[in-house]
Amino acid sequence: MPGQTWSPDPETPAIEYRPGRWLFIGGLALFLVFGLAAVFPDVGGPSASSRAKNMSPAAASFLFGAVALSGLLVMIGSVPHTHRFVVDQRGLWWRAGRKSDLIAWDELRAVRGREPRPPVKGDPNSKPVLSALVFTPADGRFATRHSALVKPRLDADPEVELRLPNIATVRQLTQEIARVRPDLLH
């Protein structure tokens, strides 16, 4: 809902996760390794590579510095925000950074948790199934109203997915929804 603020009851337990940790850690590794190589270009023995023999120390430092800078930019671009979900009598609340959303119960016909599955062996067209909460909305504008949380689908399928990082988060949310609105689970 546009303009909706985060206002669930503070006593209600929150389910939290942080996506994007590995991208942040990868950027940190790039920054450290190549940054140290740019700062200390003479550490280590001479390289056996013919290209490295022809490259000046200033050019090598510049190259390593550029890769270190790209690692820093990857780190900055992937700072993981904590995603919080709260389930109460009004609906499913979501908050990440400055963004928040409320999926009211009257917007949904049904909700189900979907467990991840690997692709079928031997089938080249099979794709892995990711863990998600699957919503069956009451109207066709659901994905547009909640575009910060769910991605609209291009096919005519009425279900909308909220992809989550792992099955534990899906199970926790499904249990909380079952506690508050068991009639919506299918």
Side-chain angles (χ1 to χ4, degrees):
M1 297 180 145
Q4 185 69 40
T5 59
W6 175 262
S7 64
D9 183 18
E11 299 295 320
T12 308
I15 298 165
E16 298 179 348
Y17 74 89
R18 285 182 184 255
R21 271 189 204 154
W22 295 112
L23 190 61
F24 181 80
I25 292 170
L28 178 63
L30 275 174
F31 178 69
L32 288 176
V33 170
F34 287 100
L36 288 173
V39 173
F40 303 107
D42 298 330
V43 174
S47 174
S49 170
S50 63
R51 287 186 184 170
K53 288 180 185 177
N54 296 335
M55 187 181 292
S56 71
S61 290
F62 176 77
L63 179 65
F64 287 146
V67 175
L69 182 61
S70 68
L72 180 65
L73 293 175
V74 166
M75 277 180 16
I76 291 170
S78 65
V79 172
H81 293 288
T82 299
H83 289 249
R84 285 186 180 84
F85 290 96
V86 173
V87 178
D88 66 9
Q89 295 299 328
R90 295 172 283 178
L92 175 68
W93 296 84
W94 167 76
R95 182 176 189 168
R98 294 181 183 171
K99 297 178 183 177
S100 65
D101 199 359
L102 168 66
I103 297 176
W105 298 129
D106 59 356
E107 294 182 83
L108 300 174
R109 288 193 196 131
V111 179
R112 67 180 167 87
R114 184 180 69 202
E115 298 204 4
R117 284 180 290 158
V120 177
K121 290 183 181 178
D123 184 1
N125 296 326
S126 178
K127 295 184 178 163
V129 175
L130 303 174
S131 57
L133 269 183
V134 180
F135 302 115
T136 306
D139 64 20
R141 294 187 330 261
F142 178 85
T144 304
R145 281 194 308 274
H146 302 288
S147 62
L149 191 56
V150 297
K151 303 291 182 250
R153 296 182 70 159
L154 300 175
D155 56 4
D157 190 2
E159 293 185 333
V160 178
E161 298 176 352
L162 168 60
R163 291 191 180 162
L164 297 166
N166 56 44
I167 190 59
T169 306
V170 171
R171 287 181 182 156
Q172 287 177 323
L173 282 171
T174 306
Q175 288 172 355
E176 287 298 311
I177 292 170
R179 185 180 59 77
V180 176
R181 288 294 304 266
D183 57 310
L184 287 176
L185 289 177
H186 69 88

